[in-house]
Amino acid sequence: MTTTPTPLAAVHANTDAWWLSCAEAALAVLVKSRREFTTDDMRELGVPESDVPARWGSFMAAAKSRGDVVKTGYTTSRHPSRNGGIRAVWLGLPRADA
């Protein structure tokens, strides 16, 4: 029997463990802040660039799937390489047990 990996499992399986640990740590800080944020804020907390730029989207999709965040809108990116491209805005959903 073959099982389809969850989005989070797929992110974990295909991502550098060090980058993932940095991203998870930044996400935890931003979720607990109870304020809106973007992945630009995660970079500002020290998450380095990933080896594949699309990893950011996969990571945030996985965070949404597990109930850590909800998308609240869009804004332009502050990151220079994005040249003002569209960036999702997220709101953390702190868990009572966290």
Side-chain angles (χ1 to χ4, degrees):
M1 178 177 165
T2 303
T3 60
T4 303
T6 63
L8 183 59
V11 170
H12 282 261
N14 297 311
T15 302
D16 173 87
W18 180 74
W19 184 87
L20 185 60
S21 68
C22 293
E24 289 286 359
L27 181 67
V29 168
L30 292 166
V31 166
K32 288 180 184 176
S33 77
R34 298 178 185 268
R35 67 174 181 87
E36 291 184 326
F37 67 92
T38 70
T39 54
D40 291 334
D41 296 301
M42 294 177 72
R43 286 183 177 96
E44 290 169 5
L45 287 175
V47 180
E49 291 304 317
S50 70
D51 58 332
V52 178
R55 236 179 262 302
W56 287 101
S58 298
F59 177 81
M60 293 308 298
K64 180 182 175 190
S65 291
R66 69 182 182 205
D68 290 338
V69 296
V70 293
K71 191 181 297 180
T72 61
Y74 296 91
T75 190
T76 54
S77 177
R78 300 183 310 270
H79 195 264
S81 71
R82 298 270 299 142
N83 293 318
I86 299 300
R87 172 81 66 212
V89 178
W90 302 96
L91 179 65
L93 302 172
R95 297 179 188 171
D97 60 350

